[in-house]
């Protein structure tokens, strides 16, 4: 093997790793909503968690990515440690799919059908289809499918390039001596561990071993410990990802390491024990890419059979290795974990959950502020201000996270969803601000010992009733994606606008008659303004929900169309106008 063969090997390795990364990223993006559905149905049932981990890893072609995702879920409180253990075990089996795909490169037959199964035969066709889909289609789904095909073709081309580059090692004594050294279980495991720690992908490491096996010099005795080491080495990604996380998240990463270490040492130790007692003649036989896929799958299935029923034991071991410190407080749940950004669909779903908490906080602030207008208390005042401060924190946290998320590759639907949330959290924050403004009006009335006239109180209760219903429909529309509730917000908002003008005019008449003071008039004006603006923000929220449902972000155009040409809008407006008519 000369310098040029080495450069060819290096180029093939780069193409192989790039193709695997490209295919995995595109698969993850294409299957984002399906991943969300799968992971959203997690329970403590052992087999369901195992199958979930297996399925997700088979889809995204990376157990490391799945495990990092799991660490993020545990850190965010979306998954318990028990659930994480089951998913991690499934992920270890799911990653064997890649080795089986790569083993197709070893097919050698004169049969035309079998020849077509060889990647070198169909990869060019996949690359052609991928280029057509990626360059000529406008749909993001078609483009993602094209990237999947291009990634797979690049991966297989890199695999073939590596196999061709190492072909010269077939008769190299130095290479044979190195492989003979790896027959030592300790050296073999160490080699596999180091390689996978560097690449951070056991699938890629196994692929490199399969390429080397085409030389005909890799034996069963050297491949087995290397594969075990690779399986342990893949834990490095999750261990690094767990730095700075909660104890539960670190325990999930440790559980992953324990599974691979215990499974590897038990079965490898048992194998060499039986070899010493019985003697296995096949240990010196050379292996093919298919043999490596078989060994890899058999080893992981055996580890699963041993440790899946012992998930509770793994959990307790992880807790013992990452113990609670004496007198320490429980870890605070990280609401938006940066690790979830690698799976945009899941991260966006988490953002929706946090934004739902923000919506409930803003709604509670308005409710308590309105109560303070009738029955002021320091407790209500403190509650409103605490909720407004919490809404500010939510907006800062969600806004920053969504901006980072928007820079990640996402489907059109997820991009629109992120834009929707950015609009909505701004409206929710402003609603909480207006709640504080209402509270300040209540404080002014209470502090100065002045009160609204009975007539003004009746009118205000009519307006606050309309605003409260508007807010409730807007929150229902957002929290439950309720389009029916969303359709009721705009006619109600128009009723609120009308009521505001009517109340302003009636107040002027009371001023002229001397039945209301100018001092109360300033407070009255502030109340009307803030209540009307709360309804405006509710209209924005409902409009966003409806526009996303219709795959459009032209909010103002949608509202104009709704107000000017919809008989249903007119009917609803008239019904609400009668309901909130002033006496």
């Amino acid at each position: 093997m000369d310098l040029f063969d080495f450069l060819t090997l290096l180029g093939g390795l780069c193409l192989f790793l790039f193709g695997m990364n490209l295919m995995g990223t595109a698969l993850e993006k294409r299957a984002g909503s399906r991943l969300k559905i799968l992971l959203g149905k997690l329970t403590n049932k052992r087999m369901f968690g195992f199958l979930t981990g297996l399925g997700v890893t088979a889809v995204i072609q990376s157990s490391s990515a799945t495990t990092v995702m799991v660490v993020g879920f545990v850190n965010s409180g979306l998954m318990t440690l028990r659930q994480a253990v089951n998913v991690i075990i499934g992920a270890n089996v799911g990653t064997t799919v890649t080795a089986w795909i790569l083993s197709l490169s070893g097919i050698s037959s004169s049969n035309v059908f079998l020849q077509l199964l060889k990647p070198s035969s169909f990869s060019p066709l996949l690359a052609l289809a991928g280029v057509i889909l990626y360059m000529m289609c406008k749909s993001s789904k078609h483009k993602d499918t094209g990237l999947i095909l291009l990634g797979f073709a690049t991966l297989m081309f890199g695999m073939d390039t590596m196999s061709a580059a190492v072909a010269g090692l077939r008769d190299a004594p130095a290479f044979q001596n190195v492989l003979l050294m790896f027959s030592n279980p300790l050296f073999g495991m160490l080699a596999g561990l180091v390689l996978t720690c560097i690449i951070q992908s056991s699938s890629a490491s196994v692929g490199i071993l399969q390429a080397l096996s085409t030389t005909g010099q890799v034996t069963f005795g050297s491949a087995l410990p290397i594969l075990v080491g690779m399986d342990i080495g893949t834990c490095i990604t999750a261990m690094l990802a767990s730095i700075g996380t909660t104890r539960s998240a670190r325990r999930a990463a440790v559980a992953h390491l324990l599974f691979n270490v215990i499974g590897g040492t038990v079965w490898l130790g048992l194998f060499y024990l039986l070899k010493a007692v019985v003697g296995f003649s096949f240990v010196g036989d050379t292996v093919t890419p298919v043999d490596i896929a078989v060994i890899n799958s058999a080893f992981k299935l055996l580890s699963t059979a041993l440790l899946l029923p012992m998930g509770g034991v793994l959990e307790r071991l992880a807790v013992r290795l990452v113990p609670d410190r004496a007198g320490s407080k429980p870890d605070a749940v990280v609401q938006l974990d940066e690790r979830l950004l690698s799976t945009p669909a899941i991260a966006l779903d988490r953002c929706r959950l946090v934004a739902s908490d923000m919506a409930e906080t803003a709604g509670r602030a308005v409710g308590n502020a309105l109560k303070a207008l009738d029955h002021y208390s320091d407790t209500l005042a403190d509650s409103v201000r605490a909720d407004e401060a919490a809404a500010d924190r939510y907006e800062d946290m969600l806004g920053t996270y969504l901006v980072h998320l928007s820079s990640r590759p996402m489907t059109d639907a997820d991009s629109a969803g992120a834009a929707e949330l950015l609009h909505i959290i701004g409206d929710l924050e402003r609603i909480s601000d207006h709640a504080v403004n209402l509270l300040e009006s209540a404080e002014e009335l209470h502090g100065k010992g002045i009160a609204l006239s009975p007539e003004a109180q009746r009118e205000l209760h009519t307006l606050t009733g309309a605003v409260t219903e508007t807010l409730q429909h807007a929150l229902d529309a957002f929290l439950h994606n309720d389009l029916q509730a969303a359709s009721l917000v705009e006619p109600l908002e128009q009723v609120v606008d009308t009521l505001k003008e009517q109340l302003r005019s009636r107040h002027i008449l009371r001023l002229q008659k001397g039945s209301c003071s100018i001092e109360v008039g300033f407070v009255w004006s502030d109340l009307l303004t803030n209540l009307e603006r709360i309804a405006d923000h509710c209209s924005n929220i409902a409009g966003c929900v409806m526009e996303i449902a219709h795959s459009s972000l032209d909010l103002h155009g949608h509202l104009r169309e709704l107000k000017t040409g919809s008989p249903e809008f007119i009917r609803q407006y008239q019904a609400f106008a009668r309901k909130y008519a002033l006496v």
Side-chain angles (χ1 to χ4, degrees):
M1 184 177 182
D2 56 20
L3 174 63
F4 297 103
D5 288 330
F6 175 76
L7 293 176
T8 302
L9 172 63
L10 185 62
L13 176 60
C14 293
L15 287 173
F16 178 81
L17 295 175
F18 175 72
M20 178 165 287
N21 180 266
L22 181 65
M23 183 177 68
T25 301
L27 279 167
E28 188 176 310
K29 181 181 175 184
R30 187 72 175 81
S33 59
R34 295 180 180 85
L35 292 181
K36 183 168 65 177
I37 293 170
L38 264 177
L39 293 166
K41 294 180 178 179
L42 274 178
T43 67
N44 283 322
K45 293 182 179 178
R46 181 183 298 125
M47 188 53 63
F48 191 85
F50 168 76
L51 292 175
T52 299
L54 189 154
V56 170
T57 306
V59 167
I60 65 177
Q61 295 286 295
S62 174
S63 61
S64 298
T66 302
T67 308
V68 170
M69 201 187 309
V70 167
V71 169
F73 291 159
V74 176
N75 197 46
S76 301
L78 297 173
M79 186 183 290
T80 65
L81 181 58
R82 175 63 60 86
Q83 291 172 334
V85 169
N86 297 330
V87 174
I88 287 168
I89 293 175
N92 276 274
V93 177
T95 193
T96 61
V97 172
T98 309
W100 283 105
I101 294 173
L102 296 176
S103 69
L104 296 175
S105 62
I107 293 176
S108 57
S109 172
S110 58
N111 186 285
V112 176
F113 177 74
L114 290 177
Q115 282 292 326
L116 288 174
L117 292 177
K118 194 170 183 178
S120 59
S121 301
F122 64 78
S123 289
L125 298 176
L126 293 182
L128 176 62
V131 167
I132 292 173
L133 289 172
Y134 183 73
M135 297 186 68
M136 299 184 182
C137 294
K138 295 182 179 179
S139 167
S140 62
K141 291 184 178 180
H142 291 155
K143 286 183 175 292
D144 291 339
T145 303
L147 284 177
I148 293 170
L149 298 178
L150 284 170
F152 180 80
T154 304
L155 180 152
M156 296 312 304
F157 184 77
M159 180 75 173
D160 288 340
T161 303
M162 285 193 297
S163 298
V166 299
L169 296 174
R170 185 183 304 272
D171 302 316
F175 181 64
Q176 295 175 7
N177 292 334
V178 170
L179 291 178
L180 185 63
M181 180 180 68
F182 290 157
S183 297
N184 182 300
L186 184 60
F187 288 135
M189 288 178 64
L190 184 61
L193 188 152
V194 171
L195 177 62
T196 309
C197 284
I198 293 172
I199 298 177
Q200 294 199 22
S201 171
S202 62
S203 297
S205 299
V206 172
I208 293 172
L209 183 62
Q210 286 177 303
L212 290 174
S213 70
T214 60
T215 63
Q217 297 297 323
V218 180
T219 64
F220 184 95
S222 59
L224 180 60
I226 291 174
L227 286 170
V228 173
M230 289 175 175
D231 209 35
I232 297 173
T234 194
C235 300
I236 186 66
T237 308
M239 295 300 292
L240 290 174
S242 69
I243 296 174
T245 60
T246 63
R247 279 186 288 271
S248 293
R250 295 199 300 275
R251 287 166 182 168
V254 168
H256 182 214
L257 179 62
L258 287 172
F259 174 83
N260 289 324
V261 170
I262 293 174
T265 53
V266 167
W267 290 115
L268 194 63
L270 182 61
F271 173 80
Y272 281 103
L273 178 63
L274 291 175
K275 175 178 176 292
V277 175
V278 180
F280 295 135
S281 59
F282 60 82
V283 172
D285 294 345
T286 58
V287 292
T288 64
V290 175
D291 294 329
I292 289 176
V294 171
I295 297 167
N296 189 41
S297 297
F299 163 71
K300 291 187 176 181
L301 286 171
L302 286 171
S303 295
T304 299
L306 173 67
L307 294 172
L308 184 59
M310 300 169 58
V313 175
L314 284 178
E315 182 183 2
R316 288 192 291 274
L317 282 173
V319 170
R320 179 162 293 187
L321 290 173
V322 187
D324 293 320
R325 295 178 182 176
S328 62
K329 297 180 180 179
D331 288 323
V333 172
V334 178
Q335 291 180 303
L336 296 174
D337 196 299
E338 295 288 328
R339 295 159 189 81
L340 298 183
L341 291 173
S342 60
T343 49
I346 304 296
L348 183 60
D349 194 53
R350 182 60 180 168
C351 286
R352 288 186 183 279
L353 290 175
V354 176
S356 296
D357 293 339
M358 181 183 182
E360 291 173 354
T361 299
R364 185 172 58 246
V366 172
N368 286 333
L370 294 178
K371 289 179 184 177
L373 286 171
D374 291 327
H375 307 287
Y376 177 82
S377 71
D378 291 338
T379 301
L380 282 174
D382 291 341
S383 175
V384 172
R385 287 196 166 88
D387 283 336
E388 190 273 336
D392 285 346
R393 290 193 296 271
Y394 276 124
E395 186 193 28
D396 291 341
M397 176 175 58
L398 279 165
T400 303
Y401 195 83
L402 284 167
V403 168
H404 290 160
L405 180 60
S406 298
S407 66
R408 302 297 179 106
M410 291 190 291
T411 62
D412 290 342
D414 286 343
S415 294
E420 172 202 14
L421 279 182
L422 278 170
H423 281 92
I424 287 176
I425 62 174
D427 286 305
L428 291 172
E429 192 275 334
R430 291 300 297 146
I431 286 173
S432 69
D433 287 343
H434 290 303
V436 172
N437 293 343
L438 292 173
L439 173 66
E440 289 173 349
S441 294
E443 288 175 331
E444 185 173 354
L445 292 172
H446 177 74
K448 293 181 178 179
I450 56 179
L452 301 175
S453 66
E455 183 182 359
Q457 288 181 9
R458 286 194 300 271
E459 293 172 356
L460 184 61
H461 284 161
T462 301
L463 178 59
T464 56
V467 171
T468 300
E469 185 174 355
T470 306
L471 178 60
Q472 188 57 55
H473 286 314
L475 294 182
D476 286 342
F478 173 59
L479 295 174
H480 310 297
N481 197 30
D482 188 340
L483 296 182
Q484 177 61 31
S487 69
L488 299 175
V489 172
E490 189 57 29
L492 258 171
E493 191 271 337
Q494 291 296 298
V495 170
V496 170
D497 286 348
T498 303
L499 283 172
K500 174 193 172 184
E501 294 306 319
Q502 291 175 343
L503 266 60
R504 192 187 298 275
S505 299
R506 290 189 175 207
H507 174 69
I508 292 172
L509 290 176
R510 284 193 293 271
L511 281 175
Q512 292 173 346
K513 293 177 182 179
S515 59
C516 184
S517 67
I518 294 177
E519 190 174 26
V520 172
F522 288 125
V523 178
W524 182 256
S525 179
D526 289 340
L527 287 172
L528 297 185
T529 299
N530 284 292
L531 288 168
E532 187 265 339
R533 287 179 180 172
I534 288 173
D536 286 343
H537 290 296
C538 290
S539 174
N540 292 341
I541 293 170
C544 277
V545 172
M546 295 183 74
E547 284 304 300
I548 289 300
H550 295 91
S551 302
S552 170
L553 284 176
D554 184 13
L555 175 59
H556 296 294
H558 166 73
L559 294 179
R560 283 195 302 271
E561 181 182 346
L562 191 64
K563 294 175 184 177
T564 56
S566 171
E568 181 64 17
F569 174 85
I570 296 172
R571 186 191 67 79
Q572 291 171 346
Y573 172 78
Q574 291 173 343
F576 286 127
R578 289 191 297 270
K579 181 177 180 179
Y580 293 105
L582 294 172
V583 179

